[in-house]
């Protein structure tokens, strides 16, 4: 089954982007240092050492078995915690409003939509900024399409963000921030 999905990914023009791959691309695009990665995870509520961060940022080779001591898989919860920590890292800690929890609740939202939303907040991007970033990577979408990607899951106009948009958004960030 995995071979079929792998072949299908090659035919369609891409692979399923794993959470570890997203972190690797995000770290590269924004030139985040390893020590900052440790701090961001900590701000998001996850204690990792610098060695652990390097294991999360390791991409296993396709044809080799993954050794547990060489690789830490980034779960959806871990990625969301990182993104929450990244918001705090970039914008500072905010005092919760009365009745609001201390930390944002971990959602079960599609990870690519979450990536767009959280990075939009962390980097103080407008919708126009996101459209420009995607355009830098060669992807043209309308404001309406972007709005659908940024909506809350369950909204009638919500649209799930595909790997192509997420991958190209990270590519556009690299172009914008690394020039």
């Amino acid at each position: 089954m995995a071979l079929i999905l792998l072949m299908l990914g090659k035919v369609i023009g891409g692979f399923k982007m794993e959470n570890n791959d997203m972190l690797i691309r995000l770290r590269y695009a924004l030139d985040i240092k390893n020590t900052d990665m440790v701090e961001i995870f900590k701000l998001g509520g996850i204690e990792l050492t610098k060695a652990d961060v390097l294991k999360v940022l390791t991409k296993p080779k396709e044809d080799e078995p993954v050794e547990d001591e060489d690789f830490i898989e980034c779960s959806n919860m871990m990625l969301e915690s990182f993104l929450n920590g990244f918001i705090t890292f970039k914008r500072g800690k905010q005092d919760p409003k009365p009745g609001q929890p201390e930390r944002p609740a971990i959602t079960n939202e599609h990870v690519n939509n979450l990536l767009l939303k959280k990075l939009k907040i962390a980097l103080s991007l407008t919708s126009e900024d996101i459209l420009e970033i995607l355009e830098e990577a060669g992807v043209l979408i309308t404001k309406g399409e972007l709005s659908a990607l940024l909506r809350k899951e369950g909204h009638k106009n919500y649209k799930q963000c595909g790997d192509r948009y997420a991958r190209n958004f990270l590519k556009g960030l690299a172009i914008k921030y690394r020039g």
Side-chain angles (χ1 to χ4, degrees):
M1 182 66 171
L3 182 61
I4 292 171
L5 290 174
L6 183 65
M7 289 170 53
L8 184 61
K10 285 183 179 178
V11 171
I12 294 176
F15 294 98
K16 169 138 180 44
M17 194 160 54
E18 301 294 330
N19 294 347
N20 293 69
D21 193 34
M22 280 188 199
L23 276 179
I24 291 166
R25 289 171 189 246
L26 180 60
R27 179 183 176 274
Y28 172 78
L30 301 177
D31 197 21
I32 304 171
K33 308 289 181 254
N34 290 337
T35 53
D36 290 341
M37 294 288 287
V38 171
E39 177 66 19
I40 292 167
F41 272 113
K42 186 176 182 180
L43 289 169
I46 295 181
E47 294 284 336
L48 290 179
T49 65
K50 192 172 175 181
D52 290 338
V53 167
L54 292 174
K55 290 177 185 179
V56 172
L57 296 173
T58 301
K59 194 171 183 178
K61 294 182 178 153
E62 292 176 33
D63 54 349
E64 291 182 18
V66 177
E67 299 292 328
D68 286 344
E69 64 271 357
D70 296 336
F71 178 73
I72 296 175
E73 184 174 351
C74 182
S75 66
N76 287 354
M77 187 200 84
M78 189 178 195
L79 180 64
E80 184 167 358
S81 294
F82 175 84
L83 293 170
N84 288 336
F86 189 60
I87 291 170
T88 304
F89 183 77
K90 294 299 274 185
R91 299 188 66 152
K93 183 143 178 75
Q94 290 186 342
D95 294 324
K97 294 178 179 136
Q100 198 177 34
E102 180 73 26
R103 290 199 173 179
I106 302 297
T107 63
N108 198 17
E109 196 169 344
H110 191 267
V111 73
N112 292 341
N113 293 71
L114 192 72
L115 177 80
L116 277 178
K117 288 179 190 178
K118 301 277 183 177
L119 289 178
K120 181 179 191 264
I121 294 166
L123 300 173
S124 303
L125 299 172
T126 63
S127 292
E128 288 78 21
D129 294 334
I130 293 175
L131 291 172
E132 287 174 18
I133 288 168
L134 285 168
E135 189 176 329
E136 287 280 337
V139 176
L140 296 175
I141 64 171
T142 65
K143 270 190 174 180
E145 288 172 310
L146 178 60
S147 175
L149 298 175
L150 296 172
R151 293 203 182 273
K152 187 173 186 172
E153 192 168 1
H155 187 280
K156 67 177 186 167
N157 293 329
Y158 170 83
K159 181 180 174 195
Q160 198 173 74
C161 180
D163 283 346
R164 177 176 163 254
Y165 287 140
R167 192 172 27 256
N168 282 300
F169 178 67
L170 291 171
K171 179 181 173 186
L173 282 176
I175 293 167
K176 177 178 176 149
Y177 288 96
R178 292 184 71 104

